[in-house]
Amino acid sequence: MLGHSPSLEGRTATQNVRETPPLVVVAKARSALRLVALDETARRRGLHRGQALADARAIIPAIDAVDADPTSDAALLAAIADWAERYTPLVALDGQDGLMLDITGCAHLFGGEAELVADLAARLPAQGFAARAAIADTPGAAWAAARYAETSRVASGGARDLLVPLPFAALRLDDDIVAALDRVGLKRIGQILDAPRAPLAARFGASLMRRLDQALGREEEAIDPRRPVAALIAERRFAEPIGLEDDIAATIASLAATLARNLEQRGEGARRFELSLFRVDGVVTRLGVGTSRPVRAPKHVLGLFAEKFASLADELDAGFGFDMARLSVPVTAPDTPAQVDLAGDAVGEADLGQLIDRIGARIGPERVRRIVPRDSHIPERSEAWTDIDAAAHALSPGRHWGGLPPPSAHSRASGNPGSGHHYPSESGSPLARGRADGRSATNSDGEVSCVRALDPPLFPAFMDADPIDRPLRLFARPEPVEATAAVPDGPPMHFRWRRALYRIARSEGPERIAPEWWRNDEDETRDYFRVEDATGHRFWLFREGLYGRETIAPRWYLHGVFG
Amino acid sequence: MRASVFMAGDDFAGLRRRIAEIEGRPLGVEAPPSPAVPPQGPERPEAPRLAPRRAEKLLPFGVEGLDCLLGGGLRRNALHEVRAETTRAGSAATGFAAAILARLTVGDDRPLLWVMEEAAVREGGHPHGPGLDRFGLDPGRLIVVVTRRPEETLWVFEEGLRCAGLAGVLGEIRGHPRVLDLTASRRLALRARDGGVMGILLRQAAAAEPGAAATRWLVEPRPAGTLDDFAAGIGRPAWRLHLERNRAGATGRFDLEWDHDARSFALAPLATPALSRPGAALPADRPDLARTAGTVVAYRRTG
């Protein structure tokens, strides 16, 4: 079936009074302003599409020309397509001025094909659009009937009779093929219907035969719906438009109950619900809510939409009311019933899922996050914020925090050479550093891998508990501070952060973190220090750039705070 | 007459029970607290219990004086307020609150909800996974919600307190938003009481305000304790806690240390050894780098 609005100026056409000058829409084509659409008055007075504006003005001087606005036209057509979903979920855009609706299995809901097309033909003009609609077996035949024939309904198997008197343009052919056919005297489709195919294909190209076959149903043609078809749909039409929130809620509840039965039969739950509200004036509002696990319970669904409505507040405009509501389930997932143990643990989990859904529906699902580890030694890249689903996936056993063995494992100190991650000196005391330097001559410039690995017996007590070497809170962007430190790689002595001066009483470090060379960015080596001022504020500072090798003026940043 | 006297004796106990229930105090704890109440011993990490939510209503600190003051520990089905006067002290308050959360997760496998405003993230930083992990709080247990406005924070907080699938909810609010008034605080407290989920209201840069929380703590930073006798290092986190409000008894001041390995609190030693001692002495076999390399230079920000 095809709905076709032949004139984009349709809205104005119906409003025009006879006396007003002809209205045309012009756009620049082939180095001239040409008419791309015209209203009824203009058509009656002999203007036609493709005519230059100058020629049209020569015929009728008082002509009202407006510039074409393809973007707005496309948006309008998309809005009409939204509205047309009241007839079928399969709505495709057809060119710049047509819609293709696949009404297979939908016509009986309106009392039959004739009633459906009558409904469509009554509602569209009521909104101010001039439109033509036709139903046929194939998209090609419907296209031809809507544009070139008077009929609005082609009987099943009647495509051939329909096409016989129509011009070749009705076959959706390119202009040059139509012109080539015209040159050899072929004007009507009927002239080639029984002609041998091979010579025609050889002369005019394969597309002529393909279009003909598509129109006659000899070749399958699928339409390309704008939106994916939902797995399950429940909808309700109202004799009187509704506008009250309570009414909408009651509708959602009953639709959700219908869907719940269907979902249960399929052994599935919904991961997403979409509510489409069709306003009487043609505007369609869509609201979607996601769920963290498969859901069926109507009460839960209603609760999620209640949160959604609460967050929308005034944005949802009921206008003169909604005359149709549709609840669809675009995404489903297998739902195995949870076994509830005596302690009620399964209930708690379900509770949590509902909580996450509610929060997501109210303030946005992207704001409910979990932290998962990532394989990087750069602190800001060592964690990722993901939604709940991805987190459940990422937190599989075997992955642990920080890319390091779990705390209190003694192997932590053995630096991984490939990762660019070193623990130059855990304690930061000159003693430790001195020993390390003395032991390994190759590491003369401070890139000593590890004191603890070298001298385990020296600090036996170290093995009991690891210090807290990562801050509790991290700043998304390290904040620049003015620090005073000994060159080349001494710990900071005092620093100024957010206009306050902190004198450092104790510090530990450096922990050297080299940039990830494979990332090909301009990062410099960082020396991290854990510092504490006299009153007990604990900070994580780093110096960016190795003095004398990477920079002559290393910069200091505050990256996090310890609890 | 005799019968009524007899009844009165019975009623007295019942009345006491009722009053304790209304006031939300464990039975037998009077205000001011009597030392006769046996403080619960420090909780040891045991095998996970099947239904921790029914097991006990109190979360002991494991610090005798403090638990005694609280009548056994922090009540699980209640709202507790942790505040920091300044933004810079906010990290200490976060630490204390995170330590309570870490204690909550011992023997309880339900997740935790941490809801915070965007402003709090901007000013104080976001929770850092590896840091939480080192601190003793499993980041995998955390669900973090970052909201746009304090209204949303309070809403999520309240929803969280109603959810039996959570072990605790931490709500972080900065300053004094108008929506967080006595009514809002009372709502949260009632939700926590009915839902049985512990709520911690973490207030950054906030002055003392009347509220309905069962306890209110002012957290101030304190030099960290030592770890494994390494005096020069920065060891166990420590805070100075002012128990400003306590529905179960008197208030007080405590210096607590957090043992992140055992996930337990301990009283901090009075004098911090690290402060009375300079850093480790320079080794004899190494020249003083700072002196030979030049004078101390202050680096200014460039560009």
Side-chain angles (χ1 to χ4, degrees):
Chain A
M1 199 207 88
L2 178 123
H4 171 219
S5 47
S7 46
L8 285 168
E9 73 280 18
R11 195 183 277 278
T12 36
T14 55
Q15 291 161 356
N16 269 353
V17 187
R18 195 163 288 262
E19 287 74 28
T20 55
L23 178 72
V24 297
V25 181
V26 296
K28 191 153 186 172
R30 302 203 302 279
S31 68
L33 281 177
R34 292 176 191 279
L35 312 191
V36 293
L38 44 162
D39 73 349
E40 200 51 44
T41 325
R43 199 191 311 274
R44 232 186 3 262
R45 295 182 65 174
L47 305 185
H48 58 87
R49 277 196 203 192
Q51 198 171 24
L53 179 62
D55 296 345
R57 281 245 159 88
I59 302 169
I60 312 165
I63 202 167
D64 202 354
V66 292
D67 283 332
D69 183 355
T71 322
S72 303
D73 288 344
L76 179 64
L77 190 65
I80 300 174
D82 278 347
W83 171 85
E85 283 191 16
R86 62 191 293 119
Y87 297 104
T88 165
L90 292 166
V91 177
L93 296 180
D94 179 41
Q96 291 165 353
D97 58 354
L99 295 178
M100 190 76 75
L101 276 62
D102 185 345
I103 56 162
T104 311
C106 297
H108 70 280
L109 298 171
F110 296 84
E113 288 179 359
E115 286 77 7
L116 190 152
V117 77
D119 186 67
L120 184 72
R123 282 180 190 264
L124 268 180
Q127 296 177 40
F129 297 108
R132 285 210 299 240
I135 292 180
D137 287 348
T138 63
W143 197 93
R147 283 174 172 79
Y148 292 92
E150 294 303 313
T151 175
S152 68
R153 191 161 162 259
V154 181
S156 192
R160 189 184 165 91
D161 296 338
L162 168 82
L163 291 178
V164 167
L166 297 186
F168 279 104
L171 279 183
R172 296 180 287 170
L173 295 170
D174 290 340
D175 286 346
D176 46 349
I177 299 178
V178 176
L181 286 161
D182 193 58
R183 270 200 299 280
V184 296
L186 296 171
K187 311 270 189 207
R188 304 277 154 199
I189 299 173
Q191 291 172 292
I192 63 160
L193 274 178
D194 297 319
R197 298 169 60 92
L200 283 170
R203 178 150 185 179
F204 300 106
S207 71
L208 173 65
M209 283 298 131
R210 204 183 76 236
R211 286 303 195 188
L212 188 64
D213 288 345
Q214 283 176 347
L216 292 173
R218 292 180 201 149
E219 187 176 322
E220 191 72 21
E221 184 186 0
I223 72 165
D224 183 17
R226 290 171 67 232
R227 288 151 32 76
V229 184
L232 288 167
I233 292 175
E235 64 184 36
R236 175 157 300 174
R237 285 152 213 279
F238 310 109
E240 281 291 316
I242 62 164
L244 295 177
E245 216 167 278
D246 289 349
D247 295 342
I248 298 173
T251 311
I252 295 172
S254 84
L255 292 177
T258 313
L259 288 178
R261 281 193 293 278
N262 288 330
L263 284 168
E264 200 166 353
Q265 280 166 13
R266 296 160 66 122
E268 286 179 333
R271 291 300 312 275
R272 201 175 159 70
F273 284 95
E274 199 176 79
L275 178 72
S276 306
L277 293 168
F278 294 73
R279 217 162 73 180
V280 281
D281 58 356
V283 177
V284 181
T285 309
R286 287 206 186 87
L287 302 170
V289 291
T291 64
S292 59
R293 48 182 194 90
V295 161
R296 287 202 285 261
K299 203 173 143 200
H300 185 196
V301 180
L302 185 58
L304 293 182
F305 278 108
E307 298 302 345
K308 197 79 188 169
F309 282 124
S311 70
L312 282 176
D314 299 332
E315 284 170 48
L316 182 70
D317 181 12
F320 294 107
F322 303 105
D323 63 350
M324 185 177 138
R326 168 184 292 162
L327 189 64
S328 51
V329 181
V331 187
T332 62
D335 183 22
T336 43
Q339 177 99 28
V340 180
D341 68 4
L342 288 174
D345 271 352
V347 177
E349 267 172 39
D351 241 23
L352 184 65
Q354 292 187 9
L355 173 76
I356 290 167
D357 295 349
R358 269 205 308 277
I359 297 173
R362 176 82 161 236
I363 67 171
E366 73 286 350
R367 290 179 168 270
V368 187
R369 291 303 183 86
R370 278 199 136 141
I371 318 172
V372 293
R374 261 171 48 179
D375 274 339
S376 173
H377 291 288
I378 308 294
E380 61 266 30
R381 294 194 202 113
S382 64
E383 63 182 359
W385 293 71
T386 62
D387 54 23
I388 302 291
D389 273 353
H393 191 69
L395 282 175
S396 53
R399 289 201 75 167
H400 45 71
W401 276 94
L404 299 167
S408 79
H410 294 179
S411 62
R412 205 187 86 185
S414 55
N416 180 354
S419 66
H421 186 211
H422 304 275
Y423 283 88
S425 57
E426 197 68 42
S427 66
S429 73
L431 171 71
R433 293 170 52 84
R435 292 194 67 88
D437 284 358
R439 288 274 175 109
S440 49
T442 48
N443 295 332
S444 55
D445 55 6
E447 279 191 38
V448 186
S449 57
C450 189
V451 173
R452 288 171 58 191
L454 291 173
D455 289 291
L458 196 61
F459 304 107
F462 250 142
M463 297 307 182
D464 290 343
D466 285 309
I468 300 178
D469 59 359
R470 286 291 180 274
L472 205 51
R473 304 181 76 141
L474 194 76
F475 289 102
R477 300 179 68 86
E479 302 202 348
V481 295
E482 296 167 26
T484 307
V487 286
D489 52 4
M493 287 178 282
H494 49 84
F495 68 97
R496 191 176 288 279
W497 175 52
R498 292 181 180 171
R499 297 201 294 276
L501 185 71
Y502 298 89
R503 295 189 182 281
I504 292 165
R506 286 190 282 183
S507 65
E508 278 193 46
E511 175 184 339
R512 180 159 295 175
I513 297 183
E516 296 176 330
W517 54 265
W518 56 93
R519 289 179 65 91
N520 199 19
D521 48 18
E522 298 293 307
D523 284 356
E524 288 171 351
T525 307
R526 296 175 182 178
D527 276 349
Y528 277 91
F529 291 90
R530 300 161 53 206
V531 302
E532 184 181 78
D533 76 348
T535 49
H537 297 103
R538 290 177 281 277
F539 303 101
W540 208 34
L541 295 175
F542 71 87
R543 173 180 41 221
E544 191 179 57
L546 290 177
Y547 182 78
R549 262 202 0 213
E550 291 176 347
T551 174
I552 53 160
R555 293 159 308 278
W556 284 89
Y557 293 92
L558 190 146
H559 205 170
V561 288
F562 290 93
Chain B
M1 197 60 203
R2 240 165 23 121
S4 78
V5 168
F6 193 66
M7 289 296 290
D10 249 7
D11 272 352
F12 195 60
L15 216 55
R16 262 188 149 170
R17 204 161 33 238
R18 267 191 64 81
I19 290 173
E21 217 175 280
I22 289 166
E23 290 187 342
R25 264 202 327 253
L27 185 63
V29 178
E30 314 274 343
S34 62
V37 179
Q40 300 193 3
E43 196 179 20
R44 291 278 100 205
E46 297 157 10
R49 277 161 296 219
L50 251 180
R53 72 202 68 162
R54 304 203 216 308
E56 72 277 328
K57 290 221 155 119
L58 295 170
L59 180 75
F61 275 94
V63 177
E64 197 167 317
L66 187 50
D67 282 339
C68 190
L69 209 59
L70 293 168
L74 281 180
R75 269 179 49 213
R76 280 177 192 264
N77 59 336
L79 179 73
H80 303 279
E81 188 175 325
V82 175
R83 75 179 181 97
E85 288 268 356
T86 56
T87 302
R88 74 178 89 166
S91 55
T94 309
F96 178 57
I100 297 175
L101 290 185
R103 298 271 297 170
L104 268 180
T105 57
V106 175
D108 184 348
D109 54 0
R110 289 174 295 175
L112 301 159
L113 183 71
W114 186 332
V115 49
M116 58 205 302
E117 273 174 278
E118 266 170 6
V121 175
R122 212 165 38 237
E123 289 295 316
H126 58 77
H128 184 47
L132 291 166
D133 187 47
R134 309 284 201 285
F135 196 79
L137 178 60
D138 178 10
R141 302 277 291 273
L142 268 190
I143 299 167
V144 182
V145 179
V146 179
T147 64
R148 279 166 296 231
R149 295 186 301 272
E151 292 88 340
E152 289 179 346
T153 311
L154 288 177
W155 179 83
V156 175
F157 196 172
E158 199 183 317
E159 289 290 311
L161 290 176
R162 283 166 52 182
C163 179
L166 288 173
V169 186
L170 175 68
E172 188 171 337
I173 297 257
R174 239 189 100 68
H176 307 91
R178 213 150 27 123
V179 287
L180 182 57
D181 53 8
L182 197 56
T183 316
S185 166
R186 181 99 186 112
R187 276 179 75 104
L188 292 174
L190 289 175
R191 286 275 182 250
R193 193 195 67 188
D194 298 340
V197 179
M198 183 188 278
I200 299 172
L201 182 61
L202 177 60
R203 301 195 57 182
Q204 310 276 23
E209 273 184 344
T215 60
R216 187 174 68 223
W217 307 79
L218 170 65
V219 186
E220 286 175 352
R222 185 188 189 282
T226 55
L227 195 61
D228 309 318
D229 299 327
F230 179 51
I234 302 169
R236 297 197 177 99
W239 314 281
R240 169 150 298 175
L241 305 170
H242 300 263
L243 179 54
E244 295 179 321
R245 182 192 151 87
N246 179 14
R247 285 186 61 171
T251 57
R253 206 189 75 185
F254 298 88
D255 280 12
L256 285 197
E257 259 186 28
W258 170 245
D259 184 345
H260 52 276
D261 215 31
R263 287 193 277 184
S264 65
F265 289 101
L267 280 177
L270 285 176
T272 321
L275 283 183
S276 60
R277 202 193 295 178
L282 285 173
D285 60 342
R286 193 174 181 221
D288 185 344
L289 240 179
R291 222 165 288 155
T292 50
T295 50
V296 171
V297 188
Y299 299 113
R300 298 192 66 82
R301 280 176 62 194
T302 53

